[in-house]
Amino acid sequence: MQWWDSYRAVYGTELRAEAMVLADHGWAVVPGTFPQGEVWSGCADAPQAGPCPVLDEWALRASTDCGQIAEWWSGLPYSILLPTGLTFDVLEVPATVGRRAAAVLRALGVPVPIAATPTGEWLFPVGAGEPLRPDLAERGGISLHGRGSWFAAPPSTYPQGSVHWRVRPSACGWNLPDPFRVQDALAEAVAQRPAVAGGGSTYRLATVATGVRS
């Protein structure tokens, strides 16, 4: 029990600090369930499918208030959840697609924040309000988190490990990318051929460049 109390204190301090950084840039946060071993904890009858809000009416209660955040993360090491559909949406894709899309965006000079989960998903926060393109919606493993959903921000944990930033929002000046640009890059990533022996992946950057909307 002493080990758990020590871990909870140290890790809870890190979570609280990260939640306050997000809130300081206008990204409202809400506490979520967290793993203890293989079991998700933090509220009664916690769903066991992953982190979820521990508060009733969580979307309305999400906050950027430092006092409220300090109170929430003063005890249990809650996950940091960011409600989607207001400030931003989040595109969730398999890691293989995410890596290719990130390379396309880098080649086009489009900086984007990217998070990755320990279960193999990459998360692209984008400006809110744009629906998922039909060709991406038909692709297994690609989804859009909009109003009524959320995503777990770093350094929230899963039983398999921690969520982490591949590209921190500060590297992009905390600016959210145009969802059209990111969805075009994802479509290009899906269309790319896998890497071949003796060479790299086949990128058709001109296709994306001409498809980017200003």
Side-chain angles (χ1 to χ4, degrees):
M1 190 64 178
Q2 289 181 343
W3 175 89
W4 168 248
D5 288 342
S6 176
Y7 167 82
R8 185 172 69 182
V10 173
Y11 183 50
T13 299
E14 181 182 0
L15 288 163
R16 182 168 62 251
E18 290 296 323
M20 287 187 176
V21 169
L22 294 167
D24 189 51
H25 290 86
W27 292 20
V29 300
V30 67
T33 55
F34 58 91
Q36 284 188 274
E38 298 295 322
V39 178
W40 288 94
S41 304
C43 65
D45 301 320
Q48 297 300 303
C52 67
V54 301
L55 304 176
D56 295 331
E57 299 184 340
W58 55 269
L60 295 175
R61 297 174 66 182
S63 181
T64 58
D65 180 77
C66 288
Q68 179 63 82
I69 291 168
E71 180 181 340
W72 281 337
W73 275 277
S74 64
L76 297 175
Y78 291 118
S79 300
I80 302 172
L81 303 187
L82 297 171
T84 53
L86 297 175
T87 304
F88 52 80
D89 292 337
V90 167
L91 291 158
E92 178 179 323
V93 304
T96 51
V97 174
R99 290 189 185 94
R100 295 173 187 169
V104 171
L105 290 164
R106 282 197 303 271
L108 294 172
V110 179
V112 298
I114 306 171
T117 74
T119 53
E121 295 80 32
W122 280 32
L123 308 166
F124 291 76
V126 298
E130 178 62 24
L132 189 61
R133 289 170 42 152
D135 56 328
L136 295 177
E138 295 171 357
R139 174 84 178 189
I142 296 179
S143 60
L144 174 71
H145 294 271
R147 189 179 292 270
S149 187
W150 62 83
F151 83 98
S156 303
T157 59
Y158 285 66
Q160 299 89 345
S162 298
V163 183
H164 65 280
W165 291 112
R166 302 286 303 189
V167 179
R168 297 186 68 88
S170 57
C172 311
W174 290 88
N175 294 313
L176 293 167
D178 184 337
F180 290 115
R181 288 175 176 257
V182 178
Q183 291 202 38
D184 283 346
L186 291 175
E188 171 64 12
V190 168
Q192 286 170 10
R193 297 177 182 177
V196 295
S201 299
T202 303
Y203 293 143
R204 297 190 304 282
L205 297 179
T207 303
V208 179
T210 56
V212 166
R213 308 183 192 188
S214 59

